[in-house]
Amino acid sequence: MSVLVNVILAVQILAALGMIGLILVQHGKGADMGAAFGSGSSGSLFGASGSANFLSRTTAVLAAVFFITTLALAYFGNSRPASSGSVLETPAAVIPASGSAADAVPVAPVAPASGAAQIPSK
């Protein structure tokens, strides 16, 4: 399962980096006006409006891939095994009590520290 999560995470990172690159390459809506008057993009590889369609479609596909991988990682991150092994779910260990007095440990009273203030008795 860990290998599958690592593959999905790698795909998500690649999709995110691809989206960042494609969004930075795209022109804004104001840049289309310059193309109408013969500015540089009409002679581009995809034609006057072909690059915008190609880049926007590729960005949409990468956004869908990113969304699907995010949902898959959330699903795998939330799924728990049948036995979680939690300390709170296991029954408490029973310690057998010994009945003999020899096993009992006496508790000695604690003497006050040497620097502690002592109250004189009257």
Side-chain angles (χ1 to χ4, degrees), residues 11-113:
V11 169
Q12 184 182 29
I13 291 172
L14 290 175
L17 292 175
M19 271 195 321
I20 291 170
L22 286 175
I23 289 170
L24 290 176
V25 168
Q26 291 180 19
H27 295 286
K29 292 189 183 234
D32 293 338
M33 205 57 169
F37 294 110
S39 181
S41 73
S42 62
S44 68
L45 180 64
F46 300 106
S49 65
S51 66
N53 288 338
F54 173 75
L55 291 176
S56 62
R57 287 181 184 164
T58 308
T59 305
V61 168
L62 286 177
V65 168
F66 183 82
F67 183 71
I68 290 169
T69 56
T70 301
L71 289 177
L73 286 173
Y75 175 75
F76 287 127
N78 239 356
S79 65
R80 294 190 174 100
S83 172
S84 65
S86 174
V87 175
L88 298 175
E89 293 175 0
T90 57
V94 177
I95 300 173
S98 62
S100 66
D103 293 338
V105 178
V107 178
V110 178

